[in-house]
Amino acid sequence: RVGGADSRREGKINTEGASSLPLSAEMAAVATRVCRLAEARMLKGDTKAAVQLLLDSQIPQLELRACTLAGTMAIENPKEHRDVLYEVGCRLISRQEISFGVQIMAGIGAAREACLHLQAQGRWEAAANVAISRLKGNERSLVLERWGNQQQRDQKPPTNT
């Protein structure tokens, strides 16, 4: 449950055991409403709709809550669970929360995709580090090859004067 009156005044949302992250009072109120709606959907047996509502909020703390809730769907629908984690991992990487996003993506077997997202953002060295630590064989080679190609493109040929 989202925090009570004290957490709303302080602009924090209680994520049940996770650390509280600061939110503006307005965002905390929105988060509270979204959580109540998601809880109502979940109690009606529509966990998928509850997860989607949390994801659609675009509030990072609720996205992480969506991951947790999606975990309850893992046995019945592992692909849906993976899709939620993949989406949140991508969002984390795009918000520069690299290590957490990569951990989520690697945990679902999508470390290569995490590398591609990092490379698309120009985070070539981070992608290379993930490839070295998380990938093997051809997947690792492809990521590192793309990095090498990028380095060559970035180098300017020497000028003859």
Side-chain angles (χ1 to χ4, degrees), residues 115-131 142-151 153-154:
C115 289
L116 295 176
H117 284 286
L118 290 168
Q119 288 177 332
Q121 292 180 10
R123 304 284 313 262
W124 294 93
E125 193 168 334
N129 286 329
V130 171
L142 290 173
V143 171
L144 295 177
E145 181 180 328
R146 286 188 74 202
W147 182 37
N149 292 340
Q150 178 62 31
Q151 287 182 319
R153 282 190 298 271
D154 286 348

Side-chain angles (χ1 to χ4, degrees), residues 58-92:
Q58 300 285 320
I59 299 172
Q61 294 87 337
L62 298 187
E63 291 172 355
L64 296 176
R65 185 175 283 209
C67 287
T68 302
L69 187 54
T72 66
M73 301 183 315
I75 293 173
E76 293 176 13
N77 194 338
K79 182 189 178 320
E80 213 165 292
H81 176 243
R82 183 189 187 282
D83 290 347
V84 169
L85 294 176
Y86 183 89
E87 182 176 342
V88 172
C90 290
R91 288 180 185 190
L92 288 165

Side-chain angles (χ1 to χ4, degrees), residues 21-44:
L21 302 172
L23 287 177
S24 69
E26 182 179 330
M27 287 304 289
V30 169
T32 299
R33 286 192 301 273
V34 169
C35 283
R36 286 184 183 147
L37 289 170
E39 182 178 13
R41 289 184 179 168
M42 186 183 65
L43 291 174
K44 290 179 182 177

